Amino acid sequence: MMPWKLDLPCFTLTGTMEIAKAQQESRGGIMKQRLLRIWWTHCFSPNI
Amino acid sequence: MKLQSRSYLRYAVIPLLLVMVLFALPDGVGAKEPVKIGVMTPLSPPGATLLGKFILQGARMGAEYVNSTGGVLGGRNIELVIEDDSGTPEKGIAGYRRLVTQKGVSVIIGQVHSSVMIAVGDLAERLGVPIFSTQASSKTITEKHLMTTFRTHAIDPDRARMWLRFIKEIGFKRIAILAENTDYGLGLVDETKAGMAKMGLKLELKSLIFDKKVVDLTPQLLELRGWKPDLLIDIHSVPTTAYLMVKQAFDIRLFPSTPILASFDWPGRSEFWKNLGDKGNYILFISYYHPKMKLTERGEWFKKEYLGKYGEFPIYPAFNGFGQIMILADALNLAQSDKPAELITALEKGRFTSWNGLVTFERGEGPYWHQWSPPLMVLQYTRVNQSPKDAPILYPPDMKTSDYTKP
């Protein structure tokens, strides 16, 4: 019943966007959509 | 005679009636007796006193929060009863007995050292008052499936699996482990070996065990330097000796050319840079919290109030001390009782809002019994005086913001 998997912490939406930006700069990949999907699935909850 | 009768009424009968009425009232009404929660944690050496201090700060603010928002069980305050276990099993056992038999606490939080928690766990099962691990991580603690044992902290198999995945991703092959001779240190060495076998990882592993009270680690570090590892995993429970280890590793030129991975988040504290200066740069560390993490409303309240009170942001042990008081306040209300047995029933069936999300305590398999785990990350400092919030995230892959930085 955890809000995240063990290896998947929940960041704030701003924090998630900052991670996406850093990933695009350092890795050149397009991770933003994936990160937003993770955020929506695991972290968007009134209790978290 | 009439006057004498009236005086008799005023001075004897009325007070007697008042006393009778007070005794006839249900529990909690009138005097509003507080609910006592024990905080048994290391506050003196050889325990990890800083962890104890942070947990206590968090617990105190948790009690303040609950008491200022109406208390529990219809307006009763939470009263914390503090006990120093010094990080030793014998003091832990004596402390648990004192809290339960003399102080009348309903539950105890604050456990840091696995060796203490394991020793106290068996006694708790006999006396029936639940005890929480706040930062003790040995899997044995919850693997025993004791009704009175609860934990909201990472367990060793998950931590070992985490660093093995990280090691695999980076491609390190020769791994040295420097571990203290406690349930925590020895347990993590065993879990690392077991994890390697499970994952089919072919690594060269060399582990050296040191005494927890050690004052000089140079001989062990020189031996490891000669072995030329790709990574040194440091398993200390007491940060002050961990600082010494990093300094000595730097002075013999082992670190940072050989990276050090700290087994928990002690480098995330403000005193890290004060103690180590540029000798601490490039350290890798496991963390259960990141300042950009999403928190609950209670967690946000705590973060803001803690900053106002102490002039710095809280770190994980303080959050966890605070969170356990939040969980217990909710569980007390769910139980509608401060009796330990009823509290345990409520803890097993409820969903509780802690600082970082919803917490449950299920009767899970193996070490996942009454166990709630925080997320795990690997962070790295890449410049001197870097704040944890700016430290690159190296693991998990989905949250990774940078590759490992070689010095």
Side-chain angles (χ1 to χ4, degrees), chain B residues 17-288:
Chain B
L17 282 171
L18 278 172
V19 168
M20 286 169 71
V21 167
L22 275 174
F23 273 104
L25 285 170
D27 283 351
V29 178
K32 294 277 184 191
E33 191 188 339
V35 175
K36 290 183 181 175
I37 295 179
V39 183
M40 186 162 79
T41 202
L43 297 169
S44 62
T49 55
L50 273 175
L51 287 178
K53 184 188 91 170
F54 287 123
I55 287 168
L56 188 53
Q57 285 175 345
R60 281 192 168 130
M61 288 184 67
E64 281 170 32
Y65 178 91
V66 173
N67 295 344
S68 66
T69 50
V72 291
L73 300 174
R76 292 169 65 185
N77 277 347
I78 283 179
E79 180 186 316
L80 300 181
V81 185
I82 316 302
E83 187 71 39
D84 174 16
D85 66 23
S86 300
T88 61
E90 57 273 26
K91 281 202 175 182
I93 286 172
Y96 180 91
R97 276 191 193 282
R98 190 160 33 247
L99 286 172
V100 172
T101 60
Q102 293 175 26
K103 304 291 182 181
V105 301
S106 299
V107 56
I108 297 168
I109 68 159
Q111 282 295 281
V112 166
H113 294 280
S114 292
S115 47
V116 183
M117 179 81 192
I118 289 168
V120 173
D122 293 332
L123 176 65
E125 199 69 355
R126 290 203 301 277
L127 298 189
V129 171
I131 182 158
F132 275 67
S133 160
T134 312
Q135 204 153 345
S137 62
S138 168
K139 72 172 182 179
T140 308
I141 293 167
T142 42
E143 212 171 36
K144 289 178 161 184
H145 292 194
L146 302 177
M147 285 306 294
T148 44
T149 293
F150 293 83
R151 171 161 52 191
T152 60
H153 181 53
I155 55 172
D156 291 344
D158 293 335
R159 193 193 314 246
R161 190 160 51 238
M162 164 88 170
W163 65 47
L164 286 170
R165 284 178 185 161
F166 172 69
I167 285 165
K168 187 180 174 188
E169 188 183 279
I170 302 277
F172 292 140
K173 297 288 180 206
R174 285 169 74 83
I175 311 299
I177 301 182
L178 192 55
E180 64 177 33
N181 61 344
T182 59
D183 289 297
Y184 173 62
L186 301 173
L188 270 170
V189 172
D190 289 345
E191 290 303 332
T192 303
K193 288 176 183 169
M196 276 170 58
K198 265 187 200 164
M199 291 168 69
L201 269 181
K202 299 208 184 312
L203 302 173
E204 290 177 75
L205 196 69
K206 183 181 179 72
S207 54
L208 291 183
I209 309 300
F210 62 87
D211 189 89
K212 189 179 163 187
K213 295 171 192 166
V214 72
V215 289
D216 182 12
L217 280 160
T218 311
Q220 291 91 336
L221 292 167
L222 282 169
E223 186 181 337
L224 291 177
R225 190 182 69 176
W227 192 65
K228 295 186 181 8
D230 296 331
L231 174 72
L232 167 58
I233 300 175
D234 161 59
I235 308 175
H236 268 87
S237 66
V238 183
T240 42
T241 54
Y243 293 134
L244 172 78
M245 186 278 299
V246 174
K247 272 182 194 165
Q248 291 182 332
F250 185 91
D251 290 342
I252 65 161
R253 296 171 193 236
L254 172 64
F255 174 71
S257 54
T258 297
I260 290 176
L261 172 66
S263 63
F264 74 103
D265 62 349
W266 55 266
R269 295 172 198 167
S270 55
E271 79 267 10
F272 176 83
W273 293 113
K274 283 179 208 153
N275 283 339
L276 289 172
D278 59 1
K279 292 182 180 180
N281 200 15
Y282 299 109
I283 197 160
L284 301 154
F285 58 103
I286 299 280
S287 187
Y288 330 97

Side-chain angles (χ1 to χ4, degrees), chain A residues 1 7 10 18 23 34 48, chain B residues 292 294 351 362 396 398:
Chain A
M1 301 303 284
D7 54 355
C10 280
E18 284 174 20
Q23 287 181 348
R34 179 174 164 74
I48 314 165
Chain B
K292 291 174 188 167
K294 195 167 190 274
R351 288 162 63 87
E362 290 159 15
D398 279 324

Side-chain angles (χ1 to χ4, degrees), chain B residues 322-365:
Chain B
F322 171 80
Q324 290 188 340
I325 298 294
M326 296 298 102
I327 291 166
L328 288 170
D330 289 352
L332 285 160
N333 285 331
L334 181 65
Q336 281 300 297
S337 167
D338 61 355
K339 291 189 172 65
E342 287 166 32
L343 187 57
I344 290 168
T345 305
L347 283 164
E348 281 193 330
K349 73 176 182 191
R351 288 162 63 87
F352 311 103
T353 304
S354 185
W355 61 278
N356 53 355
L358 281 176
V359 171
T360 56
F361 298 104
E362 290 159 15
R363 293 186 181 187
E365 289 178 12

Side-chain angles (χ1 to χ4, degrees), chain A residues 1-13 15-16 18-19 22-23 26-27 31 34-35 38-39 43-48, chain B residues 158 161 165 290 292-296 351 353 356-358 360 362 368 372-377 393 395-402:
Chain A
M1 301 303 284
M2 285 182 291
W4 45 70
K5 296 174 190 172
L6 276 175
D7 54 355
L8 209 56
C10 280
F11 286 79
T12 60
L13 185 55
T16 305
E18 284 174 20
I19 290 170
Q23 287 181 348
S26 67
R27 299 161 81 183
M31 296 287 287
R34 179 174 164 74
L35 273 179
I38 288 170
W39 188 86
C43 308
F44 181 70
S45 152
N47 292 309
I48 314 165
Chain B
D158 293 335
R161 190 160 51 238
R165 284 178 185 161
H290 191 285
K292 291 174 188 167
M293 266 172 65
K294 195 167 190 274
L295 305 181
T296 61
R351 288 162 63 87
T353 304
N356 53 355
L358 281 176
T360 56
E362 290 159 15
Y368 297 96
W372 189 84
S373 305
L376 293 165
M377 287 164 272
I393 303 167
Y395 203 92
D398 279 324
M399 300 299 163
K400 184 174 165 183
T401 57
S402 170

